[in-house]
Amino acid sequence: MIDTVVVQPAAGVDEPQTSGVSWAAVAAGAVTSLALTLILIAFGTGLGLSVVSPWANSGASTTTFKITTGIYLVVIAMISSSIGGYLAGRLRSRWIGVHSDEVYFRDTAHGFLAWSFATVLGAILLASPATTLLSGATSGVAAGATAATAQAGPNDGYIDLAAPPDDAIGRWQQHGSAR
């Protein structure tokens, strides 16, 4: 005999009114990811400088260096994002009465949010010095162009007559006008 069991939700059990996202855990994971990225990039820079040689035909080739650098940067991104995401998933507040699949999803969502936050924060941190450098460069170029224009005087046209091009000097010497 087959009995059918229907489970009714308990009366008065509602979704919690608080957010399921622990932003403190996400921020901690993002900061950890950024810090680990900086440490691994410094380590990689040291390794890269030890492989490069200023003398010809010694040290790693340019192609090998470029490929190794690209692979290293990808590995850095994966390692730092994984550790930051894992930390964010483990630091979140505990959910009671939630199915284990939902807990796994929420931990994964916290890791993804930590990665997203670290990416945006890293872009902001890299963009602010870049904009400062670019604004300084454009103001320097504008100042240089203004200074070059200001130095042009009314006698600049006569300089071309005093130092004619090389072919004009050759023609001038052929006619016996030189010295």
Side-chain angles (χ1 to χ4, degrees):
M1 170 180 221
I2 299 175
D3 291 332
T4 305
V5 177
V6 178
V7 177
Q8 297 286 335
V13 177
D14 293 328
E15 286 289 321
Q17 297 300 319
T18 60
S19 173
V21 177
S22 174
W23 286 106
V26 169
V31 168
T32 301
S33 179
L34 286 172
L36 190 58
T37 299
L38 289 175
I39 289 170
L40 290 175
I41 285 178
F43 177 70
T45 302
L47 284 177
L49 290 174
S50 69
V51 173
V52 175
S53 176
W55 291 280
N57 299 325
S58 62
S61 69
T62 307
T63 305
T64 304
F65 185 74
K66 286 191 272 186
I67 291 171
T68 307
T69 302
I71 291 171
Y72 185 73
L73 290 174
V74 169
V75 169
I76 283 175
M78 290 186 329
I79 289 173
S80 62
S81 295
S82 297
I83 291 176
Y86 176 77
L87 189 66
R90 296 293 292 173
L91 289 178
R92 53 95 181 130
S93 57
R94 187 168 179 234
W95 296 290
I96 299 177
V98 177
H99 191 271
S100 62
D101 290 341
E102 183 68 19
V103 171
Y104 181 74
F105 170 76
R106 289 182 183 187
D107 289 345
T108 305
H110 273 81
F112 181 73
L113 286 172
W115 170 80
S116 302
F117 187 56
T119 301
V120 170
L121 190 62
I124 289 170
L125 291 175
L126 289 176
S128 64
T131 55
T132 303
L133 288 173
L134 287 176
S135 66
T138 55
S139 66
V141 168
T146 304
T149 306
Q151 290 177 356
N155 295 329
D156 286 343
Y158 296 111
I159 291 176
D160 292 335
L161 294 175
D166 291 336
D167 62 337
I169 292 174
R171 285 190 312 252
W172 188 43
Q173 289 175 348
Q174 286 176 351
H175 293 296
S177 304
R179 294 181 214 206

